[in-house]
């Protein structure tokens, strides 16, 4: 694996706190606990830079990570966590919505979804939001290590159908445990940020 650098730049809850828009950004969206922070660590081959937790709701701000002095991953707060108050949830949605509407150097979204379960209503809503705002995106299904290989095609089929994807090539299968899928996603990321 190629060596990657990662630097946590800042946490933000409002546009005034974002870092200068001088590098392309790739934002990660997905349900709480889907594995967004783990994804960042796995992609750079480092543990614990992005804080992860077995409890959902760990990431509550927009966290900016500079990668290889070339681009940034932006770890967005997870959606769909039932145990935060409605008011708190609305606040998170506002952070995410502000960022996606306004950020000039946002080049793409990675929409993370749990491979074990069909996409949720909120996952479908997130995809629609990206479509509406015309933000390029890739769908990354996480935790594939938890599914038997013989079951892959059944799960892939359900994602392609429910998300109305042109083909299964629009889906990137990923595991933070063993970094399956990381090489393909690096190719995608490089084509987005170069
Ligand atoms: P929030 O910050 O709450 O939005 O969650 P998150 O999406 O950042 O999830 P996080 O990366 O903290 O991971 C949640 C839990 O899932 C942790 O216990 C991780 O170890 C686990 N996890 C994440 N990705 C994978 C994966 O690919 N395989 C397996 N087996 N576990 C994973
Ligand atoms: Mg997180």
């Amino acid at each position: 694996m190629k060596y990657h650098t990662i630097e946590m730049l800042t946490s933000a809850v409002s546009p005034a706190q974002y870092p200068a828009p001088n590098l392309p950004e790739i934002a990660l969206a997905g349900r709480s606990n889907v594995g967004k922070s783990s994804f960042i660590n796995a992609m750079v081959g480092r543990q614990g830079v992005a804080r992860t937790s077995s409890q959902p709701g760990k990431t509550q701000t927009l966290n900016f990570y500079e990668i290889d002095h070339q681009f940034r991953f932006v770890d967005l707060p997870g959606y769909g966590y039932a145990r935060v108050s409605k008011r708190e949830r609305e606040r998170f949605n506002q952070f995410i919505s502000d960022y996606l509407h306004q950020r000039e150097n946002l080049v793409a979204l990675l929409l993370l979804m749990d491979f074990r379960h069909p996409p949720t209503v909120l996952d479908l809503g997130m995809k629609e939001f990206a479509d509406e705002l015309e933000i390029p995106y890739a769908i990354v299904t996480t935790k594939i290590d938890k599914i038997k290989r013989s079951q892959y095609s059944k799960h892939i089929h359900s994602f392609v159908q429910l998300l109305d994807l042109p083909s299964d090539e629009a889906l990137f299968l990923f595991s933070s445990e063993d970094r399956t899928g990381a090489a393909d996603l690096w190719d995608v990321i490089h084509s987005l940020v170069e």
Side-chain angles (χ1 to χ4, degrees):
M1 191 186 131
K2 187 183 168 290
Y3 180 78
H4 295 284
T5 65
I6 177 166
E7 185 191 350
M8 163 70 180
L9 289 182
T10 191
S11 294
V13 294
S14 73
Q17 299 169 333
Y18 299 165
N22 56 351
L23 282 180
E25 288 175 355
I26 295 179
L28 285 98
R31 257 173 48 208
S32 243
N33 209 240
V34 71
K36 298 175 295 299
S37 303
S38 303
F39 174 89
I40 294 174
N41 293 329
M43 288 298 281
V44 297
R46 222 66 53 75
Q47 301 244 319
V49 182
R51 302 271 300 281
T52 64
S53 166
S54 56
Q55 300 296 314
K58 178 73 189 169
T59 309
Q60 308 208 343
T61 53
L62 280 82
N63 294 333
F64 294 78
Y65 296 91
E66 188 165 308
I67 310 295
D68 299 335
H69 305 293
Q70 191 191 12
F71 73 98
R72 298 182 189 131
F73 279 135
V74 183
D75 194 2
L76 302 175
Y79 50 76
Y81 178 40
R83 282 176 60 193
V84 299
S85 68
K86 182 157 178 265
R87 186 139 167 227
E88 196 67 356
R89 205 149 52 223
E90 279 164 4
R91 223 161 65 91
F92 289 178
N93 289 344
Q94 194 60 50
F95 300 163
I96 298 172
S97 164
D98 285 348
Y99 175 82
L100 296 179
H101 274 106
Q102 299 180 20
R103 193 63 165 164
E104 66 204 68
N105 54 327
L106 171 66
V107 294
L109 259 171
L110 298 180
L111 302 180
L112 271 61
M113 302 182 193
D114 190 326
F115 192 57
R116 295 174 294 177
H117 314 291
T120 65
V121 171
L122 293 173
D123 291 331
L124 299 175
M126 196 67 220
K127 176 187 177 268
E128 268 168 33
F129 195 49
D131 280 327
E132 266 165 40
L133 296 180
E134 298 183 8
I135 304 168
Y137 57 82
I139 314 268
V140 177
T141 55
T142 62
K143 309 196 185 186
I144 63 158
D145 55 282
K146 296 203 171 198
I147 294 286
K148 284 200 199 106
R149 206 167 271 272
S150 60
Q151 301 293 306
Y152 278 14
S153 63
K154 191 179 85 188
H155 288 251
I156 291 168
H157 184 70
S158 125
F159 273 90
V160 168
Q161 280 223 314
L162 291 166
L163 293 166
D164 195 21
L165 302 176
S167 80
D168 57 11
E169 279 166 38
L171 210 60
F172 292 86
L173 274 52
F174 190 81
S175 166
S176 300
E177 286 286 299
D178 56 19
R179 300 208 196 101
T180 304
D184 283 351
L185 279 158
W186 271 117
D187 289 344
V188 172
I189 288 168
H190 284 136
S191 71
L192 289 164
V193 301
E194 256 147 29

